[in-house]
Each structure stands twice: as C-alpha cells, then as structure tokens.
Amino acid sequence: IFSDMSAPEVVSGEVCPRRFGLNYDPPAIILEYLEVSTGKLFHRKVALKRLRSSTDPARVAEKLRQVNRPLLTEDSGVAFEQIVSLVKKLQDSMHQKSSPTSEETKVPDEIDYHEANLNKLSDNELARHKAKMNTSFLANQMKPGDHGFVYDMRVDFPEADQSCDWDSEED
C-alpha cells in the first residue's frame, strides 16, 4: 500500500516525533521527527500509492506502524488512533474527489446553444454540456444496418436565418 521516499534510515539513537503532514494527491503521510543525539529535524514521507477509500484504515495504520517501527510506536508518543485518523482523512478526501456534488452534475435542461457562449464556461461545465450533446447525438445517429441508413448522404441546407461571424469566409 505504501512506499518510503527520501527517508533517512533510523538505526540508532532516540527519535522524537514532532508533527504529521498529509499530502492528498498522491496520498502520503509525512512525519517530522527529531533525532535527539544530533538535534536535527528529519522528514519521512510515506507514499500510500495503492490506498483506496474502501480500504480498512486500521489495517493500513498497522502496516504503517510495522514498517516504520522506530518512529510510530506508542513509546514515541504516536497513538495508534492518530495514525488511523490520518489515514481516514486521506480516504475522505479521495471519496470527496471521486463523487461529484449534485451542484456539479446539474446541467440546465433548456439552454439555447445559438445564444449561449460556451467559451465562457469552465472546463467542468463545458464537459457536462458536451456529454449532454453527445447523448443526443448518439440517440439520433444512423449506423449501417439501421432502417433508413444511407451511406455518404449529401444534403443541401437552406440559407441560415441568422448570420454567424465565426464561420464567414471573409478575412
């Protein structure tokens, strides 16, 4: 579930954990600790590459504790519940990121695409409108084998009722 990155090995000497940090994307827990013998501060980043929102946080916390035994023991002042809480925070952020809010998924039912300027929409809003248009396109699409399908149909369209500046051939 995780891997160490840029972490000095703690072989001898006493360590004193100072504080934790969370990196949400990609998920990782960063531990700042003091090596008492030298008085230097170090950071250990533990990446949780395979962490999922459905994973048991207690199991992940126990595995973190086993791999980082010198740093994450009860004796060093790091409670097991604290590690579980950090893992849950990472999972909650993953869950929120993966499930869009109802406000984000709302696409106006009626929009006049002749009048609306889609260039002014955000990327998310534009993607939702394109998905809605694509649904309509796929419903009306004629494929080989469909009744009424004609290969390479050519149609002459009448003159437009309105002028469009963007497609004029005048330069």
Side-chain angles (χ1 to χ4, degrees):
I1 293 181
F2 50 87
S3 64
D4 294 335
M5 297 174 62
S6 68
E9 285 298 317
V10 180
V11 178
S12 63
E14 192 176 328
V15 294
C16 180
R18 290 293 188 191
R19 59 186 172 169
F20 283 103
L22 295 177
N23 190 18
Y24 290 100
D25 192 19
I29 295 177
I30 298 102
L31 171 64
E32 181 181 84
Y33 64 94
L34 174 72
E35 192 175 274
V36 178
S37 62
T38 62
K40 291 184 179 180
L41 279 176
F42 292 97
H43 293 112
R44 181 177 207 119
K45 183 176 183 178
V46 182
L48 303 168
K49 293 179 181 176
R50 295 184 299 171
L51 182 67
R52 303 286 176 258
S53 56
S54 59
T55 310
D56 179 23
R59 193 166 161 214
V60 174
E62 185 56 43
K63 187 79 170 161
L64 280 169
R65 206 170 210 178
Q66 288 173 0
V67 172
N68 299 284
R69 191 173 308 279
L71 299 171
L72 300 176
T73 61
E74 293 279 347
D75 298 337
S76 65
V78 179
F80 180 72
E81 293 78 26
Q82 184 178 12
I83 302 169
V84 172
S85 170
L86 293 170
V87 173
K88 283 182 182 177
K89 284 182 182 181
L90 288 172
Q91 289 176 319
D92 289 345
S93 76
M94 293 170 76
H95 181 70
Q96 289 172 356
K97 193 171 21 171
S98 67
S99 64
T101 62
S102 61
E103 190 175 300
E104 290 177 352
T105 57
K106 216 187 296 179
V107 175
D109 290 335
E110 297 299 320
I111 185 168
D112 184 6
Y113 288 113
H114 295 288
E115 297 296 322
N117 186 352
L118 299 180
N119 291 320
K120 294 182 179 180
L121 298 177
S122 70
D123 289 342
N124 289 338
E125 290 172 324
L126 183 62
R128 287 194 302 274
H129 282 284
K130 283 184 174 183
K132 185 177 178 186
M133 287 185 231
N134 196 36
T135 303
S136 175
F137 170 78
L138 292 174
N140 295 317
Q141 181 182 20
M142 298 285 286
K143 300 177 197 155
D146 290 347
H147 179 69
F149 173 79
V150 177
Y151 178 77
D152 196 23
M153 179 186 287
R154 309 257 172 147
V155 178
D156 291 324
F157 291 97
E159 285 295 316
D161 297 336
Q162 311 171 22
S163 67
C164 292
D165 295 335
W166 65 268
D167 67 345
S168 64
E169 294 181 17
E170 299 171 9
D171 284 333

